[in-house]
Short mmCIF file of all heavy atoms in Angstrom, two decimals:
data_model
loop_
_atom_site.label_atom_id
_atom_site.label_comp_id
_atom_site.label_asym_id
_atom_site.label_seq_id
_atom_site.Cartn_x
_atom_site.Cartn_y
_atom_site.Cartn_z
N MET A 123 21.45 67.50 64.32
CA MET A 123 22.34 68.29 63.46
C MET A 123 23.23 69.19 64.32
O MET A 123 22.72 69.95 65.15
CB MET A 123 21.52 69.17 62.52
CG MET A 123 20.93 68.42 61.33
SD MET A 123 22.16 68.13 60.07
CE MET A 123 22.18 69.73 59.29
N PRO A 124 24.57 69.13 64.12
CA PRO A 124 25.44 70.07 64.85
C PRO A 124 25.23 71.49 64.33
O PRO A 124 25.06 71.69 63.14
CB PRO A 124 26.85 69.55 64.55
CG PRO A 124 26.70 68.73 63.33
CD PRO A 124 25.31 68.22 63.27
N ASN A 125 25.23 72.37 65.25
CA ASN A 125 24.97 73.76 64.89
C ASN A 125 25.93 74.65 65.68
O ASN A 125 26.20 74.35 66.85
CB ASN A 125 23.53 74.11 65.27
CG ASN A 125 22.79 74.76 64.13
OD1 ASN A 125 23.36 74.98 63.07
ND2 ASN A 125 21.54 75.06 64.33
N PRO A 126 26.46 75.69 65.08
CA PRO A 126 27.35 76.56 65.86
C PRO A 126 26.58 77.25 66.98
O PRO A 126 25.43 77.67 66.81
CB PRO A 126 27.86 77.57 64.82
CG PRO A 126 26.96 77.47 63.67
CD PRO A 126 26.36 76.11 63.68
N LYS A 127 27.23 77.29 68.17
CA LYS A 127 26.56 77.85 69.33
C LYS A 127 26.48 79.37 69.25
O LYS A 127 25.52 79.98 69.72
CB LYS A 127 27.32 77.44 70.59
CG LYS A 127 26.53 77.53 71.87
CD LYS A 127 27.30 76.83 72.99
CE LYS A 127 26.43 76.72 74.22
NZ LYS A 127 27.11 75.98 75.28
N ARG A 128 27.57 79.94 68.72
CA ARG A 128 27.63 81.40 68.63
C ARG A 128 27.95 81.81 67.19
O ARG A 128 28.65 81.09 66.48
CB ARG A 128 28.75 81.94 69.54
CG ARG A 128 28.48 81.78 71.00
CD ARG A 128 27.72 82.96 71.57
NE ARG A 128 27.62 82.87 73.02
CZ ARG A 128 26.64 82.22 73.66
NH1 ARG A 128 25.71 81.61 72.98
NH2 ARG A 128 26.61 82.19 74.98
N ARG A 129 27.46 82.92 66.83
CA ARG A 129 27.75 83.47 65.51
C ARG A 129 29.19 83.99 65.50
O ARG A 129 29.65 84.57 66.50
CB ARG A 129 26.77 84.63 65.27
CG ARG A 129 27.00 85.44 64.03
CD ARG A 129 26.01 86.63 64.04
NE ARG A 129 26.15 87.41 62.84
CZ ARG A 129 27.03 88.38 62.68
NH1 ARG A 129 27.85 88.68 63.66
NH2 ARG A 129 27.09 89.04 61.55
N HIS A 130 29.91 83.75 64.38
CA HIS A 130 31.24 84.34 64.23
C HIS A 130 31.11 85.84 64.08
O HIS A 130 30.18 86.32 63.42
CB HIS A 130 31.92 83.80 62.97
CG HIS A 130 32.52 82.46 63.14
ND1 HIS A 130 33.27 81.87 62.16
CD2 HIS A 130 32.50 81.60 64.16
CE1 HIS A 130 33.68 80.70 62.57
NE2 HIS A 130 33.23 80.50 63.78
N SER A 131 32.06 86.54 64.64
CA SER A 131 32.07 87.98 64.43
C SER A 131 32.54 88.28 63.01
O SER A 131 33.20 87.44 62.37
CB SER A 131 33.00 88.65 65.42
OG SER A 131 34.33 88.27 65.16
N ASN A 132 32.20 89.44 62.52
CA ASN A 132 32.69 89.87 61.20
C ASN A 132 34.21 89.86 61.18
O ASN A 132 34.82 89.45 60.19
CB ASN A 132 32.19 91.28 60.87
CG ASN A 132 30.69 91.30 60.60
OD1 ASN A 132 30.11 90.27 60.26
ND2 ASN A 132 30.08 92.45 60.77
N THR A 133 34.83 90.29 62.27
CA THR A 133 36.29 90.34 62.33
C THR A 133 36.89 88.95 62.19
O THR A 133 37.88 88.77 61.48
CB THR A 133 36.73 90.97 63.66
OG1 THR A 133 36.14 92.26 63.76
CG2 THR A 133 38.22 91.10 63.75
N ARG A 134 36.27 87.98 62.85
CA ARG A 134 36.82 86.62 62.80
C ARG A 134 36.75 86.08 61.37
O ARG A 134 37.70 85.46 60.88
CB ARG A 134 36.03 85.72 63.74
CG ARG A 134 36.67 84.38 63.90
CD ARG A 134 36.01 83.60 65.00
NE ARG A 134 36.34 82.19 64.84
CZ ARG A 134 35.91 81.25 65.66
NH1 ARG A 134 35.17 81.55 66.70
NH2 ARG A 134 36.24 80.02 65.45
N THR A 135 35.63 86.31 60.68
CA THR A 135 35.50 85.89 59.29
C THR A 135 36.53 86.59 58.41
O THR A 135 37.19 85.96 57.59
CB THR A 135 34.08 86.23 58.78
OG1 THR A 135 33.13 85.61 59.65
CG2 THR A 135 33.87 85.76 57.37
N ARG A 136 36.69 87.89 58.60
CA ARG A 136 37.60 88.65 57.75
C ARG A 136 39.05 88.28 58.03
O ARG A 136 39.86 88.25 57.10
CB ARG A 136 37.38 90.15 57.99
CG ARG A 136 36.08 90.63 57.35
CD ARG A 136 35.70 92.01 57.81
NE ARG A 136 34.34 92.32 57.39
CZ ARG A 136 33.63 93.32 57.88
NH1 ARG A 136 34.14 94.11 58.81
NH2 ARG A 136 32.42 93.54 57.45
N LYS A 137 39.37 87.97 59.29
CA LYS A 137 40.73 87.54 59.61
C LYS A 137 41.06 86.24 58.89
O LYS A 137 42.15 86.06 58.36
CB LYS A 137 40.87 87.32 61.12
CG LYS A 137 41.24 88.55 61.91
CD LYS A 137 41.38 88.19 63.37
CE LYS A 137 41.79 89.38 64.20
NZ LYS A 137 41.77 89.06 65.63
N ARG A 138 40.10 85.32 58.85
CA ARG A 138 40.30 84.05 58.16
C ARG A 138 40.51 84.30 56.66
O ARG A 138 41.34 83.66 56.02
CB ARG A 138 39.10 83.13 58.38
CG ARG A 138 39.30 81.74 57.78
CD ARG A 138 38.09 80.85 58.01
NE ARG A 138 36.92 81.30 57.31
CZ ARG A 138 35.79 81.70 57.89
NH1 ARG A 138 35.70 81.73 59.22
NH2 ARG A 138 34.76 82.08 57.17
N ARG A 139 39.74 85.22 56.11
CA ARG A 139 39.78 85.43 54.66
C ARG A 139 40.95 86.29 54.20
O ARG A 139 41.11 86.47 52.99
CB ARG A 139 38.45 86.06 54.21
CG ARG A 139 37.31 85.08 54.35
CD ARG A 139 36.01 85.62 53.85
NE ARG A 139 34.96 84.62 54.07
CZ ARG A 139 33.66 84.85 53.97
NH1 ARG A 139 33.26 86.07 53.64
NH2 ARG A 139 32.79 83.91 54.17
N THR A 140 41.77 86.79 55.13
CA THR A 140 42.94 87.55 54.70
C THR A 140 43.89 86.68 53.90
O THR A 140 44.68 87.18 53.11
CB THR A 140 43.70 88.15 55.89
OG1 THR A 140 44.06 87.11 56.77
CG2 THR A 140 42.89 89.20 56.60
N HIS A 141 43.84 85.36 54.13
CA HIS A 141 44.77 84.46 53.45
C HIS A 141 44.17 83.89 52.17
O HIS A 141 44.80 83.08 51.50
CB HIS A 141 45.18 83.31 54.38
CG HIS A 141 45.79 83.78 55.65
ND1 HIS A 141 47.06 84.28 55.71
CD2 HIS A 141 45.28 83.87 56.90
CE1 HIS A 141 47.31 84.64 56.96
NE2 HIS A 141 46.26 84.41 57.70
N ASP A 142 42.92 84.26 51.85
CA ASP A 142 42.24 83.62 50.72
C ASP A 142 42.64 84.18 49.37
O ASP A 142 42.47 83.51 48.35
CB ASP A 142 40.72 83.76 50.86
CG ASP A 142 40.18 82.87 51.98
OD1 ASP A 142 41.00 82.14 52.57
OD2 ASP A 142 38.98 82.92 52.26
N LEU A 143 43.14 85.41 49.36
CA LEU A 143 43.43 86.03 48.07
C LEU A 143 44.64 85.37 47.43
O LEU A 143 45.71 85.30 48.03
CB LEU A 143 43.69 87.52 48.26
CG LEU A 143 44.02 88.31 46.99
CD1 LEU A 143 42.78 88.42 46.11
CD2 LEU A 143 44.55 89.67 47.33
N MET A 144 44.45 84.86 46.25
CA MET A 144 45.55 84.24 45.51
C MET A 144 45.76 85.03 44.23
O MET A 144 44.79 85.43 43.58
CB MET A 144 45.23 82.80 45.14
CG MET A 144 45.10 81.88 46.31
SD MET A 144 46.68 81.24 46.85
CE MET A 144 47.02 80.10 45.55
N THR A 145 47.01 85.24 43.87
CA THR A 145 47.30 85.90 42.60
C THR A 145 48.00 84.90 41.69
O THR A 145 48.68 83.98 42.17
CB THR A 145 48.22 87.11 42.81
OG1 THR A 145 49.34 86.71 43.58
CG2 THR A 145 47.49 88.22 43.53
N ALA A 146 47.81 85.07 40.41
CA ALA A 146 48.41 84.17 39.44
C ALA A 146 49.93 84.33 39.46
O ALA A 146 50.45 85.42 39.73
CB ALA A 146 47.88 84.46 38.04
N ALA A 147 50.63 83.22 39.23
CA ALA A 147 52.09 83.26 39.21
C ALA A 147 52.57 84.14 38.06
O ALA A 147 52.02 84.09 36.95
CB ALA A 147 52.64 81.86 39.04
N GLN A 148 53.56 84.96 38.36
CA GLN A 148 54.09 85.86 37.34
C GLN A 148 55.23 85.17 36.60
O GLN A 148 56.14 84.65 37.22
CB GLN A 148 54.62 87.14 37.99
CG GLN A 148 53.56 87.90 38.76
CD GLN A 148 52.49 88.47 37.86
OE1 GLN A 148 52.82 89.16 36.90
NE2 GLN A 148 51.25 88.18 38.14
N ASN A 149 55.11 85.16 35.29
CA ASN A 149 56.16 84.54 34.47
C ASN A 149 57.11 85.59 33.95
O ASN A 149 56.71 86.70 33.65
CB ASN A 149 55.54 83.78 33.30
CG ASN A 149 54.86 82.52 33.75
OD1 ASN A 149 55.19 81.98 34.80
ND2 ASN A 149 53.92 82.06 32.98
N GLN A 150 58.37 85.20 33.84
CA GLN A 150 59.37 86.05 33.23
C GLN A 150 59.98 85.29 32.06
O GLN A 150 59.92 84.07 32.03
CB GLN A 150 60.49 86.38 34.22
CG GLN A 150 60.07 87.26 35.36
CD GLN A 150 61.21 87.53 36.28
OE1 GLN A 150 61.97 86.63 36.61
NE2 GLN A 150 61.36 88.76 36.68
N ASP A 151 60.59 86.04 31.15
CA ASP A 151 61.31 85.38 30.07
C ASP A 151 62.69 85.00 30.56
O ASP A 151 63.33 85.75 31.30
CB ASP A 151 61.43 86.31 28.87
CG ASP A 151 60.16 86.31 28.05
OD1 ASP A 151 59.25 85.53 28.39
OD2 ASP A 151 60.08 87.07 27.08
N CYS A 152 63.18 83.82 30.14
CA CYS A 152 64.53 83.40 30.48
C CYS A 152 65.53 84.35 29.81
O CYS A 152 65.49 84.52 28.59
CB CYS A 152 64.76 81.97 30.00
SG CYS A 152 66.47 81.44 30.14
N PRO A 153 66.41 85.01 30.58
CA PRO A 153 67.33 85.98 29.97
C PRO A 153 68.36 85.32 29.05
O PRO A 153 68.80 85.95 28.07
CB PRO A 153 68.01 86.64 31.18
CG PRO A 153 67.81 85.69 32.30
CD PRO A 153 66.55 84.95 32.04
N THR A 154 68.74 84.08 29.36
CA THR A 154 69.71 83.39 28.51
C THR A 154 69.09 83.04 27.16
O THR A 154 69.72 83.21 26.12
CB THR A 154 70.21 82.12 29.21
OG1 THR A 154 70.56 82.44 30.55
CG2 THR A 154 71.42 81.55 28.49
N CYS A 155 67.84 82.54 27.20
CA CYS A 155 67.15 82.24 25.95
C CYS A 155 66.88 83.53 25.18
O CYS A 155 66.96 83.54 23.95
CB CYS A 155 65.83 81.53 26.23
SG CYS A 155 66.01 79.85 26.78
N ALA A 156 66.56 84.61 25.89
CA ALA A 156 66.24 85.87 25.21
C ALA A 156 67.45 86.40 24.45
O ALA A 156 67.31 87.01 23.39
CB ALA A 156 65.77 86.89 26.23
N SER A 157 68.68 86.13 24.99
CA SER A 157 69.87 86.58 24.27
C SER A 157 70.06 85.79 22.99
O SER A 157 70.75 86.24 22.08
CB SER A 157 71.10 86.44 25.17
OG SER A 157 71.34 85.07 25.46
N ARG A 158 69.46 84.60 22.93
CA ARG A 158 69.50 83.81 21.68
C ARG A 158 68.22 84.01 20.88
O ARG A 158 67.90 83.22 19.99
CB ARG A 158 69.67 82.33 22.00
CG ARG A 158 70.99 82.04 22.67
CD ARG A 158 71.03 80.59 23.13
NE ARG A 158 72.11 80.38 24.09
CZ ARG A 158 72.17 79.34 24.91
NH1 ARG A 158 71.20 78.45 24.91
NH2 ARG A 158 73.16 79.20 25.73
N GLU A 159 67.45 85.01 21.30
CA GLU A 159 66.20 85.36 20.63
C GLU A 159 65.22 84.21 20.62
O GLU A 159 64.52 83.96 19.64
CB GLU A 159 66.47 85.89 19.22
CG GLU A 159 67.25 87.20 19.26
CD GLU A 159 67.52 87.76 17.88
OE1 GLU A 159 67.02 87.18 16.90
OE2 GLU A 159 68.21 88.78 17.80
N VAL A 160 65.19 83.46 21.75
CA VAL A 160 64.18 82.41 21.96
C VAL A 160 63.32 82.87 23.13
O VAL A 160 63.84 83.30 24.16
CB VAL A 160 64.83 81.05 22.28
CG1 VAL A 160 63.76 79.98 22.42
CG2 VAL A 160 65.83 80.67 21.20
N HIS A 161 62.01 82.80 22.95
CA HIS A 161 61.08 83.29 23.96
C HIS A 161 60.67 82.13 24.87
O HIS A 161 59.96 81.22 24.44
CB HIS A 161 59.86 83.89 23.24
CG HIS A 161 58.83 84.42 24.17
ND1 HIS A 161 58.94 85.65 24.76
CD2 HIS A 161 57.67 83.89 24.61
CE1 HIS A 161 57.87 85.86 25.52
NE2 HIS A 161 57.10 84.81 25.45
N THR A 162 61.19 82.11 26.11
CA THR A 162 60.85 81.04 27.05
C THR A 162 60.26 81.64 28.31
O THR A 162 60.98 82.22 29.11
CB THR A 162 62.09 80.21 27.42
OG1 THR A 162 62.77 79.84 26.24
CG2 THR A 162 61.69 78.97 28.20
N PRO A 163 58.93 81.53 28.51
CA PRO A 163 58.36 82.00 29.77
C PRO A 163 58.80 81.10 30.91
O PRO A 163 58.86 79.88 30.76
CB PRO A 163 56.85 81.91 29.54
CG PRO A 163 56.67 80.94 28.46
CD PRO A 163 57.91 80.98 27.61
N LEU A 164 59.14 81.72 32.05
CA LEU A 164 59.76 80.97 33.14
C LEU A 164 59.17 81.45 34.45
O LEU A 164 58.98 82.64 34.65
CB LEU A 164 61.26 81.22 33.12
CG LEU A 164 62.19 80.15 33.66
CD1 LEU A 164 62.03 78.88 32.87
CD2 LEU A 164 63.61 80.64 33.60
N ARG A 165 58.88 80.53 35.37
CA ARG A 165 58.48 80.94 36.71
C ARG A 165 59.73 81.35 37.47
O ARG A 165 60.82 80.88 37.18
CB ARG A 165 57.78 79.78 37.44
CG ARG A 165 56.54 79.41 36.73
CD ARG A 165 55.29 79.19 37.52
NE ARG A 165 55.30 79.53 38.91
CZ ARG A 165 54.69 78.77 39.82
NH1 ARG A 165 54.11 77.66 39.46
NH2 ARG A 165 54.66 79.16 41.06
N ARG A 166 59.54 82.22 38.47
CA ARG A 166 60.67 82.71 39.23
C ARG A 166 61.33 81.57 40.01
O ARG A 166 60.68 80.65 40.46
CB ARG A 166 60.19 83.78 40.22
CG ARG A 166 59.94 85.12 39.57
CD ARG A 166 59.26 86.05 40.51
NE ARG A 166 59.39 87.42 40.03
CZ ARG A 166 60.33 88.25 40.44
NH1 ARG A 166 61.20 87.88 41.33
NH2 ARG A 166 60.38 89.47 39.95
N HIS A 167 62.63 81.68 40.18
CA HIS A 167 63.44 80.74 40.95
C HIS A 167 63.37 79.33 40.37
O HIS A 167 63.40 78.34 41.11
CB HIS A 167 63.02 80.71 42.43
CG HIS A 167 62.98 82.07 43.06
ND1 HIS A 167 64.12 82.79 43.31
CD2 HIS A 167 61.94 82.84 43.44
CE1 HIS A 167 63.77 83.95 43.86
NE2 HIS A 167 62.47 84.01 43.93
N ARG A 168 63.23 79.22 39.04
CA ARG A 168 63.22 77.90 38.40
C ARG A 168 64.32 77.87 37.35
O ARG A 168 64.66 78.88 36.74
CB ARG A 168 61.88 77.62 37.69
CG ARG A 168 60.67 77.76 38.54
CD ARG A 168 60.64 76.72 39.64
NE ARG A 168 59.87 77.22 40.77
CZ ARG A 168 58.59 76.94 40.97
NH1 ARG A 168 57.95 76.14 40.18
NH2 ARG A 168 57.95 77.46 41.97
N VAL A 169 64.88 76.66 37.16
CA VAL A 169 65.87 76.46 36.11
C VAL A 169 65.13 76.39 34.78
O VAL A 169 64.06 75.79 34.68
CB VAL A 169 66.65 75.15 36.36
CG1 VAL A 169 67.62 74.88 35.24
CG2 VAL A 169 67.38 75.22 37.68
N CYS A 170 65.70 77.03 33.77
CA CYS A 170 65.07 77.03 32.45
C CYS A 170 65.16 75.62 31.85
O CYS A 170 66.24 75.06 31.76
CB CYS A 170 65.77 78.04 31.55
SG CYS A 170 65.13 78.04 29.87
N PRO A 171 64.03 75.03 31.45
CA PRO A 171 64.07 73.68 30.88
C PRO A 171 64.61 73.64 29.46
O PRO A 171 64.95 72.57 28.96
CB PRO A 171 62.60 73.24 30.92
CG PRO A 171 61.84 74.50 30.87
CD PRO A 171 62.67 75.54 31.56
N VAL A 172 64.70 74.80 28.80
CA VAL A 172 65.15 74.83 27.41
C VAL A 172 66.68 74.89 27.34
O VAL A 172 67.32 74.12 26.63
CB VAL A 172 64.50 76.02 26.66
CG1 VAL A 172 65.05 76.13 25.25
CG2 VAL A 172 62.99 75.85 26.63
N CYS A 173 67.28 75.83 28.10
CA CYS A 173 68.73 76.00 28.02
C CYS A 173 69.45 75.50 29.28
O CYS A 173 70.67 75.37 29.27
CB CYS A 173 69.07 77.47 27.79
SG CYS A 173 68.57 78.56 29.13
N GLY A 174 68.71 75.19 30.37
CA GLY A 174 69.33 74.66 31.58
C GLY A 174 70.10 75.69 32.37
O GLY A 174 70.98 75.33 33.14
N HIS A 175 69.78 76.98 32.20
CA HIS A 175 70.49 78.03 32.92
C HIS A 175 69.66 78.50 34.10
O HIS A 175 68.43 78.46 34.08
CB HIS A 175 70.76 79.23 31.99
CG HIS A 175 71.99 79.04 31.16
ND1 HIS A 175 72.08 78.05 30.22
CD2 HIS A 175 73.16 79.70 31.14
CE1 HIS A 175 73.27 78.12 29.63
NE2 HIS A 175 73.95 79.12 30.19
N TYR A 176 70.35 78.91 35.15
CA TYR A 176 69.72 79.56 36.28
C TYR A 176 70.61 80.71 36.70
O TYR A 176 71.80 80.52 36.92
CB TYR A 176 69.50 78.58 37.43
CG TYR A 176 68.83 79.22 38.63
CD1 TYR A 176 67.48 79.54 38.59
CD2 TYR A 176 69.56 79.52 39.77
CE1 TYR A 176 66.86 80.13 39.66
CE2 TYR A 176 68.94 80.12 40.85
CZ TYR A 176 67.60 80.41 40.79
OH TYR A 176 66.99 81.01 41.86
N LYS A 177 70.04 81.91 36.79
CA LYS A 177 70.79 83.13 37.13
C LYS A 177 72.00 83.31 36.23
O LYS A 177 73.10 83.64 36.70
CB LYS A 177 71.24 83.09 38.59
CG LYS A 177 70.16 83.50 39.57
CD LYS A 177 70.72 83.57 40.97
CE LYS A 177 70.00 84.59 41.80
NZ LYS A 177 70.60 84.73 43.13
N GLY A 178 71.85 82.98 34.94
CA GLY A 178 72.93 83.16 33.98
C GLY A 178 74.00 82.10 34.02
O GLY A 178 75.00 82.20 33.32
N ARG A 179 73.82 81.07 34.89
CA ARG A 179 74.81 79.99 34.98
C ARG A 179 74.20 78.73 34.41
O ARG A 179 73.02 78.46 34.62
CB ARG A 179 75.16 79.73 36.45
CG ARG A 179 76.31 80.53 36.96
CD ARG A 179 76.70 80.11 38.37
NE ARG A 179 75.58 79.84 39.27
CZ ARG A 179 75.44 78.69 39.93
NH1 ARG A 179 76.30 77.72 39.77
NH2 ARG A 179 74.44 78.52 40.75
N ALA A 180 75.01 77.89 33.75
CA ALA A 180 74.54 76.61 33.27
C ALA A 180 74.54 75.63 34.45
O ALA A 180 75.58 75.38 35.04
CB ALA A 180 75.43 76.09 32.16
N VAL A 181 73.38 75.14 34.83
CA VAL A 181 73.29 74.22 35.95
C VAL A 181 72.78 72.85 35.52
O VAL A 181 72.89 71.89 36.28
CB VAL A 181 72.38 74.78 37.07
CG1 VAL A 181 73.04 75.97 37.74
CG2 VAL A 181 71.03 75.17 36.55
N LEU A 182 72.25 72.74 34.32
CA LEU A 182 71.75 71.46 33.82
C LEU A 182 72.30 71.22 32.43
O LEU A 182 72.50 72.17 31.66
CB LEU A 182 70.22 71.47 33.73
CG LEU A 182 69.41 71.33 35.00
CD1 LEU A 182 67.93 71.33 34.64
CD2 LEU A 182 69.74 70.05 35.72
N GLN A 183 72.56 69.96 32.14
CA GLN A 183 72.89 69.60 30.76
C GLN A 183 71.61 69.12 30.11
O GLN A 183 71.00 68.16 30.55
CB GLN A 183 73.94 68.51 30.73
CG GLN A 183 75.35 69.04 30.96
CD GLN A 183 76.38 68.18 30.27
OE1 GLN A 183 76.21 66.97 30.18
NE2 GLN A 183 77.44 68.79 29.78
N ILE A 184 71.21 69.83 29.07
CA ILE A 184 69.96 69.49 28.39
C ILE A 184 70.28 68.50 27.29
O ILE A 184 71.10 68.77 26.41
CB ILE A 184 69.29 70.75 27.81
CG1 ILE A 184 69.05 71.78 28.92
CG2 ILE A 184 67.98 70.40 27.14
CD1 ILE A 184 68.10 71.34 30.02
N LYS A 185 69.62 67.33 27.38
CA LYS A 185 69.81 66.33 26.33
C LYS A 185 68.90 66.67 25.15
O LYS A 185 67.73 67.01 25.34
CB LYS A 185 69.45 64.93 26.85
CG LYS A 185 70.47 64.37 27.80
CD LYS A 185 70.04 63.00 28.28
CE LYS A 185 71.03 62.47 29.31
NZ LYS A 185 70.55 61.21 29.91
N VAL A 186 69.43 66.55 23.99
CA VAL A 186 68.65 66.80 22.77
C VAL A 186 68.27 65.45 22.20
O VAL A 186 69.12 64.59 21.98
CB VAL A 186 69.46 67.62 21.74
CG1 VAL A 186 68.61 67.86 20.49
CG2 VAL A 186 69.89 68.94 22.34
N LYS A 187 66.96 65.27 22.05
CA LYS A 187 66.47 63.99 21.53
C LYS A 187 66.87 63.83 20.06
O LYS A 187 66.67 64.74 19.26
CB LYS A 187 64.95 63.92 21.63
CG LYS A 187 64.45 63.37 22.95
CD LYS A 187 62.96 63.12 22.90
CE LYS A 187 62.49 62.55 24.21
NZ LYS A 187 61.03 62.37 24.21
N GLU A 188 67.43 62.68 19.75
CA GLU A 188 67.78 62.43 18.37
C GLU A 188 66.57 61.89 17.64
O GLU A 188 65.86 61.01 18.14
CB GLU A 188 68.94 61.42 18.30
CG GLU A 188 70.25 62.00 18.79
CD GLU A 188 71.35 60.94 18.76
OE1 GLU A 188 71.27 60.02 17.94
OE2 GLU A 188 72.28 61.07 19.57
N LYS A 189 66.35 62.43 16.46
CA LYS A 189 65.21 61.98 15.68
C LYS A 189 65.56 60.65 14.99
O LYS A 189 66.65 60.48 14.43
CB LYS A 189 64.83 63.01 14.64
CG LYS A 189 64.11 64.20 15.26
CD LYS A 189 63.75 65.23 14.20
CE LYS A 189 63.09 66.42 14.86
NZ LYS A 189 62.87 67.50 13.87
N LYS A 190 64.61 59.72 15.11
CA LYS A 190 64.82 58.43 14.46
C LYS A 190 64.63 58.59 12.94
O LYS A 190 63.62 59.19 12.52
CB LYS A 190 63.82 57.38 14.98
CG LYS A 190 64.15 56.87 16.36
CD LYS A 190 63.15 55.83 16.81
CE LYS A 190 63.46 55.38 18.22
NZ LYS A 190 62.42 54.46 18.73
N PRO A 191 65.54 58.08 12.16
CA PRO A 191 65.34 58.15 10.70
C PRO A 191 64.18 57.24 10.29
O PRO A 191 64.04 56.13 10.79
CB PRO A 191 66.67 57.67 10.14
CG PRO A 191 67.30 56.89 11.23
CD PRO A 191 66.80 57.45 12.52
N LYS A 192 63.37 57.74 9.39
CA LYS A 192 62.21 56.95 8.95
C LYS A 192 62.67 55.78 8.09
O LYS A 192 63.47 55.94 7.16
CB LYS A 192 61.23 57.83 8.16
CG LYS A 192 60.46 58.76 9.09
CD LYS A 192 59.50 59.64 8.32
CE LYS A 192 58.77 60.59 9.26
NZ LYS A 192 57.89 61.51 8.52
N ALA A 193 62.15 54.60 8.42
CA ALA A 193 62.55 53.39 7.68
C ALA A 193 61.84 53.28 6.35
O ALA A 193 60.79 53.83 6.15
CB ALA A 193 62.24 52.15 8.52
ZN1 ZN B 158 66.57 79.50 28.88
#
């Protein structure tokens, strides 16, 4: 069985674990949707999938699915 030759120091363990802390992604409401009184939670630096705006500019054309008429 492989076994570590020397014990890690507390400092070495703690240095490794400085990168372990993760925080949940913070969501913001899309400001363009909010002006239309639609609540769209959005991750930072992402284009809004509902209105296609980023930083108040339209960057995507959102296609609206047409509903099939029931036969
Ligand atoms: Zn939006």
Side-chain angles (χ1 to χ4, degrees):
M123 282 282 281
N125 230 358
K127 199 169 189 176
R128 292 272 187 272
R129 173 186 183 273
H130 280 186
S131 66
N132 290 338
T133 303
R134 189 171 162 179
T135 304
R136 287 168 191 165
K137 273 181 178 173
R138 184 180 66 243
R139 291 184 182 167
T140 56
H141 303 285
D142 288 357
L143 180 70
M144 294 275 287
T145 51
Q148 300 293 308
N149 288 336
Q150 292 180 316
D151 279 356
C152 171
T154 313
C155 288
S157 65
R158 296 173 196 161
E159 296 181 5
V160 183
H161 180 80
T162 311
L164 208 61
R165 298 226 9 219
R166 282 170 163 264
H167 308 290
R168 305 294 154 96
V169 176
C170 177
V172 175
C173 63
H175 277 64
Y176 181 73
K177 278 186 150 184
R179 270 187 319 125
V181 291
L182 284 181
Q183 280 209 325
I184 304 297
K185 287 180 184 173
V186 180
K187 272 189 179 177
E188 289 178 28
K189 285 179 182 174
K190 285 181 183 175
K192 285 179 182 177

